[in-house]
Amino acid sequence: MVDRGLWFKEWKQNQVVLLVIFAFLMLINPLSIMSDYFSYQGCLKDNMLESCTYSINYSSGGLMQINWAAGIVLAISQIGIERSKGTLDFTLSLPYKKSQIFNAKFFMGAAVLTVSQLLGYLFSELLILLLKPDSVLFFHHYVVGMMIITFMTYALVMAAGALTGNVFAQLLTAFTVAILPFLIITLPAINIEIVFGQSILSRIDQALTFEVFGYLIPIVYVGTDWVIDSKYILLIPAAMSMIFYLIGYFSFSKHPSERNGSFFLWKSFDRPVQIIVIAFGILGFGYFGYSAGQSIVGYIIGMMIGAVVGFLISYFSIYKKTKHL
């Protein structure tokens, strides 16, 4: 259980951010509906009635498509910025377990993200009843989906913050995880095709259709293709949200906190991650080198450049400690 004093402390410390995000998420969908309605009214004034229709179609996303960004901002504010400022050190010095502190942050943030979008959904439903648009497509599916996706994004960035010691590391780690399935599967497959001339990617596509593999990549949910596909796809980001929460909970509870400013709080991550970054640099620049000249020479030169770039990026980001703000 989380102590009420800890809840109050987290609320007061992030009150402005929490209120701004709450208001943004609650109002963005009703305002989008009103914007479409005013556009329709403008059409009625300027054109014949037959050429104007008032329809709401969520398959194209609209303003709500950026809801996930609120999860990123909130997670950075709760962990990354607090850690960089040193205020998280004060929180950790209070007579609470680290698991309690993480849960207080996480569930307060999750409550703000969920309740605000739920209220926005109810207001939007009321507006739709009052304004009576000609058609409303994918409304319930999209709103529920954005709630899940926003929560997944928040859980991912919170987990990244629990693993890392500064804001830059938190964002870079979250972004890397968001595209990790592509890096692990597609990038090596492309390089195998270059070296051996075998169509590996086509075999992967046969084994795993895009509808399955594509939605295992968190960044895919920034788009809106999932809206017109099966509603059961939303089970994937829901499951990923729980995994990210557990990773964040375990990391925040078990990893040391004295390495503030370091890329990773757990020093054992430094060398393996550096090797992985160099490997991805070699594979990525090797592919671009081959694409530029369609030759093995260009491929080898690209791999050499990638090794150097990967080493420099990993060295200066992982082994150089940042100062408090």
Side-chain angles (χ1 to χ4, degrees):
M1 296 293 293
V2 178
D3 187 88
R4 284 185 297 177
L6 187 56
W7 281 102
F8 181 75
K9 180 261 177 193
E10 289 298 326
W11 164 253
K12 296 299 292 184
Q13 189 163 332
N14 297 287
Q15 186 174 9
V16 174
V17 176
L18 291 169
L19 288 175
V20 170
I21 288 177
F22 189 95
F24 170 77
L25 292 177
M26 181 179 66
L27 295 175
I28 189 169
N29 195 22
L31 289 177
S32 178
I33 293 174
M34 290 301 301
S35 176
D36 291 340
Y37 177 73
F38 289 137
S39 296
Y40 169 67
Q41 291 296 318
C43 178
L44 292 179
K45 292 180 181 179
D46 300 333
N47 300 283
M48 302 261 320
L49 180 62
E50 291 78 8
S51 63
C52 299
T53 58
Y54 177 35
S55 61
I56 302 175
N57 186 356
Y58 284 87
S59 63
S60 59
L63 293 177
M64 281 186 67
Q65 196 172 347
I66 61 173
N67 278 17
W68 54 268
I72 296 177
V73 173
L74 184 54
I76 292 173
S77 174
Q78 287 183 298
I79 292 188
I81 293 178
E82 283 193 30
R83 200 187 294 279
S84 296
K85 286 184 176 180
T87 54
L88 188 59
D89 293 334
F90 168 74
T91 305
L92 292 171
S93 69
L94 297 176
Y96 299 109
K97 295 179 180 179
K98 295 174 72 174
S99 58
Q100 290 179 300
I101 294 173
F102 181 80
N103 278 337
K105 290 178 175 295
F106 188 90
F107 289 114
M108 178 169 289
V112 167
L113 296 175
T114 304
V115 174
S116 59
Q117 291 185 88
L118 182 60
L119 289 176
Y121 165 71
L122 295 176
F123 290 147
S124 299
E125 185 75 74
L126 179 61
L127 282 175
I128 289 173
L129 291 175
L130 293 175
L131 300 177
K132 296 180 173 59
D134 298 321
S135 63
V136 180
L137 303 176
F138 302 106
F139 171 64
H140 302 287
H141 180 50
Y142 187 75
V143 173
V144 173
M146 285 310 303
M147 291 175 65
I148 295 173
I149 291 166
T150 304
F151 182 74
M152 177 194 69
T153 305
Y154 173 70
L156 169 59
V157 183
M158 283 291 285
L163 286 165
T164 55
N166 59 72
V167 175
F168 172 74
Q170 182 181 8
L171 286 172
L172 184 58
T173 300
F175 176 74
T176 302
V177 173
I179 63 173
L180 192 59
F182 169 80
L183 294 175
I184 291 176
I185 298 177
T186 307
L187 192 58
I190 292 173
N191 282 263
I192 292 174
E193 286 189 358
I194 294 173
V195 175
F196 298 102
Q198 298 180 6
S199 182
I200 303 297
L201 284 177
S202 61
R203 297 181 184 180
I204 293 176
D205 289 338
Q206 292 175 1
L208 295 171
T209 62
F210 180 79
E211 286 76 11
V212 176
F213 171 65
Y215 289 115
L216 295 176
I217 306 175
I219 202 170
V220 165
Y221 294 95
V222 172
T224 58
D225 290 341
W226 57 270
V227 180
I228 59 177
D229 289 330
S230 172
K231 61 183 178 181
Y232 297 109
I233 286 174
L234 292 175
L235 294 174
I236 298 175
M240 287 194 289
S241 300
M242 299 308 300
I243 293 172
F244 294 146
Y245 162 73
L246 293 174
I247 292 173
Y249 176 85
F250 176 83
S251 300
F252 196 91
S253 302
K254 302 300 181 182
H255 289 176
S257 59
E258 63 271 9
R259 298 189 78 220
N260 274 10
S262 300
F263 195 94
F264 289 114
L265 295 176
W266 195 23
K267 193 174 182 179
S268 300
F269 278 166
D270 291 350
R271 185 65 67 187
V273 171
Q274 183 184 28
I275 294 172
I276 293 172
V277 170
I278 294 173
F280 284 147
I282 292 171
L283 295 176
F285 277 84
Y287 166 68
F288 285 116
Y290 179 82
S291 299
Q294 295 295 315
S295 67
I296 295 298
V297 174
Y299 179 65
I300 295 173
I301 293 174
M303 293 179 71
M304 294 172 62
I305 295 174
V308 174
V309 172
F311 172 79
L312 292 176
I313 291 176
S314 61
Y315 177 78
F316 285 105
S317 60
I318 295 175
Y319 292 102
K320 295 297 181 180
K321 193 171 183 179
T322 63
K323 297 179 180 179
H324 288 324
L325 297 176

